[in-house]
Amino acid sequence: MHIVRFRDPSGYVRSGELTDSGIESGNTVYDQESITLLPPSEPTKIICQAGGYMDHREESGMDDIPERPELFLKTPNCVVGHGDAIELPPGRDVVHFEAEFGIIIGEQCRDVSESEAMDVVAGFTCLNDVSNRDDQEEERNWVRGKAFDASLPMGPVLATPDEVPLDATLELRLNGETKQETTREHMIFSVPELVSEVSELITLEPGDVIASGTPFGPDSLAEGDVVEVEFDGVGILENHVTTRE
């Protein structure tokens, strides 16, 4: 099942199932051209994994395999949806794309075991963890580098776990050219391991997102670029790049 959040022609925010007929919500079927697509959840927080793929760790100068996921936070102001703009922060020269898939939490939970982790996962979505390297390299906690406005495109849908293969491919295209590509199998930590580790000390709320990390190949964005993140079973998240004035 593919679930979308959207604003209907009257301005109300609704959710529904994306089908071949359109978006089914209640007793109404909405044409996709008549609605405004929104991010598939409203997270209270986004917990991100740094160095989730070995090839990205190696290109970043880290050749060790971590004993546990290395985590940092992005905040709700980062979230934008499919079709929205990625805003390059003013005065920064190096801003990178990072293709990731997101794990969307379906219920409030804490200290979840690996064996029960998938019970609290509502589904998956595409993410782009846009990163301001100018500030990231100067900070210990990456607040300016990671949590600036419009730095987490997310969408276009929430795909339930049965829609996403265990070997799902993750790909990023910049202006039509493939820049990043991997499969879910190459993650250092699995989805249940991530959910369990994060929830050990952090209460997760419905709609919260765990960002799984990016593979080899993050690179620079420029005004006018078009970025597509595709994850098997979810679809394609597309955004254009502007410069915030």
Side-chain angles (χ1 to χ4, degrees), residues 93-104:
D93 296 323
V94 184
V95 180
H96 283 178
F97 56 74
E98 290 191 9
E100 307 192 12
F101 72 87
I103 305 158
I104 300 180

Side-chain angles (χ1 to χ4, degrees), residues 2 13 25 39 43 73 97 113 124-125 129 133 149 157 169 179 221 225 229 242:
H2 293 98
V13 174
S25 180
L73 291 171
F97 56 74
S113 68
F124 300 102
T125 195
D129 173 22
R133 304 301 192 201
D149 289 350
V157 304
T169 297
K179 294 291 189 178
L221 292 169
D225 284 343
V229 177
T242 64

Side-chain angles (χ1 to χ4, degrees), residues 163-190:
E163 296 280 355
V164 180
L166 293 176
D167 61 350
T169 297
L170 176 68
E171 180 180 358
L172 183 142
R173 295 181 292 274
L174 181 67
N175 302 322
E177 180 182 355
T178 298
K179 294 291 189 178
Q180 293 184 281
E181 188 171 12
T182 191
T183 69
R184 181 175 160 185
E185 296 172 301
H186 285 100
M187 294 170 61
I188 296 173
F189 297 100
S190 68

Side-chain angles (χ1 to χ4, degrees), residues 5 20 24 61 70 82-83 87 91 98 124 138 143 153 155 157 179 192 198 200 221 228 238-239 245:
R5 288 180 62 250
D20 292 339
E24 298 181 4
E70 298 169 345
H82 174 74
E87 296 182 350
E98 290 191 9
F124 300 102
E138 299 295 327
V143 170
V157 304
K179 294 291 189 178
V198 170
E200 180 184 9
L221 292 169
E228 298 171 288
E238 181 178 313
N239 300 90
E245 298 180 357

Side-chain angles (χ1 to χ4, degrees), residues 88 90 243-245:
L88 302 178
T243 301
R244 182 160 62 89
E245 298 180 357

Side-chain angles (χ1 to χ4, degrees), residues 56-67:
H56 179 51
R57 294 183 71 84
E58 290 171 350
E59 72 171 333
S60 302
M62 301 178 289
D63 57 5
D64 62 315
I65 297 177
E67 294 183 1

Side-chain angles (χ1 to χ4, degrees), residues 82-182:
H82 174 74
D84 291 336
I86 297 168
E87 296 182 350
L88 302 178
R92 271 63 175 184
D93 296 323
V94 184
V95 180
H96 283 178
F97 56 74
E98 290 191 9
E100 307 192 12
F101 72 87
I103 305 158
I104 300 180
I105 300 301
E107 61 185 72
Q108 187 185 72
C109 58
R110 186 177 65 180
D111 201 16
V112 180
S113 68
E114 289 181 28
S115 63
E116 297 177 335
M118 292 307 299
D119 294 340
V120 303
V121 173
F124 300 102
T125 195
C126 300
L127 301 177
N128 188 352
D129 173 22
V130 180
S131 302
N132 154 25
R133 304 301 192 201
D134 289 16
D135 286 311
Q136 186 179 354
E137 292 180 359
E138 299 295 327
E139 292 183 323
R140 293 179 60 189
N141 53 20
W142 296 357
V143 170
R144 296 175 185 84
K146 289 287 192 175
F148 57 97
D149 289 350
S151 64
L152 190 73
M154 173 177 160
V157 304
L158 180 160
T160 51
D162 59 291
E163 296 280 355
V164 180
L166 293 176
D167 61 350
T169 297
L170 176 68
E171 180 180 358
L172 183 142
R173 295 181 292 274
L174 181 67
N175 302 322
E177 180 182 355
T178 298
K179 294 291 189 178
Q180 293 184 281
E181 188 171 12
T182 191

